[in-house]
Amino acid sequence: MHELLEYLSTPWAIRGIITSSMVGITCGLLGAFIVLRNMSLIGDALAHAILPGVYVAFLIVGYSALGFFIGSVIAGVVTAFVITWIQQYVSTKNDAAIGIVFTSMFAIGVMGISRVSQRGVHLDLTDFLFGELMGIGNTDIIITFIVMVLVILSVIVFYRYFFITTFQQTIAKTMGINVKLVHYFLMFLLSISIVSALSSVGIILVVAMLITPAATSLLLAVRLKHVLIIS
């Protein structure tokens, strides 16, 4: 027990615990809305579709945490927009549109990163898939903190809009609420949240952090506010 406490008291372990806790709060809040809207697969899609953004950002600015963040956010937003457009204007199933877009984006990202890695550049695909919690830097902590605060404030300020567009889109439209704008704003928050978790928990685990806490909280509570707190 003493060795465990001593291990957890090291600076890099503390940074990892703080960062992963902030990621948990962020994903828990957004995950509730994602699960309630039956959009769990979109979270998985965005998590895998950000890799082309990492590749393009590396070509432009080199190995930079901020560059990866900006590039990944752009890739995530583009993916969300394309998926939504296909679902609304192309005669295909919703899940098929998600599968087509995210697998294409993921394949492009894997090919790009693999090509760069073959040139001797330290850009390991494994770090993005599984994260590198023990290698968290100050920049990663700052980005994760900013994203967490933005998500919390957005949920508090726009709670009524998220609530009514989640449960009653028809009533929301009659009230003059721009349902599409709320949807795209939620996708933007989801994109930056996934990207902020890239360096700490990775693409694979962030999907579980979005879905599992939210799905569990829905079994324990009925009111949305309670669901958000538990999640």
Side-chain angles (χ1 to χ4, degrees):
M1 187 64 180
H2 177 72
E3 293 180 356
L4 177 60
L5 293 176
E6 185 177 354
Y7 179 80
L8 294 176
S9 63
T10 56
W12 50 267
I14 294 175
R15 287 198 298 268
I17 293 173
I18 292 174
T19 306
S20 58
S21 298
M22 291 190 292
V23 170
I25 294 172
T26 305
C27 291
L29 286 174
L30 287 180
F33 293 105
I34 300 303
V35 172
L36 286 170
R37 288 168 174 252
N38 296 320
M39 294 167 52
S40 301
L41 188 57
I42 287 188
D44 187 18
L46 292 179
H48 287 79
I50 60 178
L51 288 181
V54 174
Y55 169 63
V56 173
F58 179 82
L59 295 180
I60 297 174
V61 299
Y63 198 97
S64 169
L66 183 59
F68 290 161
F69 177 81
I70 296 174
S72 300
V73 168
I74 294 175
V77 171
V78 170
T79 301
F81 177 81
V82 173
I83 289 175
T84 304
W85 185 87
I86 292 176
Q87 290 175 341
Q88 293 178 351
Y89 299 104
V90 179
S91 299
T92 184
K93 298 292 185 180
N94 289 346
D95 53 351
I98 295 173
I100 292 170
V101 175
F102 103 76
T103 51
S104 300
M105 294 286 285
F106 184 67
I108 294 172
V110 169
M111 288 188 295
I113 293 177
S114 300
R115 181 181 179 184
V116 171
S117 300
Q118 290 175 356
R119 298 177 181 178
V121 179
H122 179 67
L123 192 63
D124 193 354
L125 184 62
T126 306
D127 293 342
F128 300 104
L129 292 176
F130 304 106
E132 186 62 37
L133 191 61
M134 298 299 103
I136 295 296
N138 294 330
T139 304
D140 298 313
I141 296 177
I142 294 173
I143 291 176
T144 306
F145 176 76
I146 293 174
V147 171
M148 181 188 69
V149 172
L150 178 60
V151 169
I152 293 175
L153 290 177
S154 298
V155 171
I156 294 174
V157 174
F158 301 108
Y159 174 79
R160 293 184 179 181
Y161 295 95
F162 289 150
F163 180 89
I164 191 149
T165 55
T166 297
F167 295 104
Q168 294 290 344
Q169 289 193 8
T170 303
I171 295 178
K173 291 179 181 178
T174 60
M175 294 173 61
I177 298 175
N178 192 327
V179 176
K180 288 185 178 180
L181 182 61
V182 175
H183 171 77
Y184 283 122
F185 181 62
L186 185 61
M187 290 299 97
F188 169 73
L189 293 177
L190 181 61
S191 298
I192 63 174
S193 299
I194 291 174
V195 174
S196 66
L198 189 66
S199 59
S200 54
V201 300
I203 292 172
I204 305 299
L205 186 57
V206 72
V207 179
M209 296 182 73
L210 280 169
I211 299 174
T212 307
T216 304
S217 64
L218 287 170
L219 298 175
L220 302 175
V222 178
R223 295 176 61 88
L224 180 58
K225 291 183 178 180
H226 298 163
V227 170
L228 292 174
I229 294 173
I230 295 173
S231 181

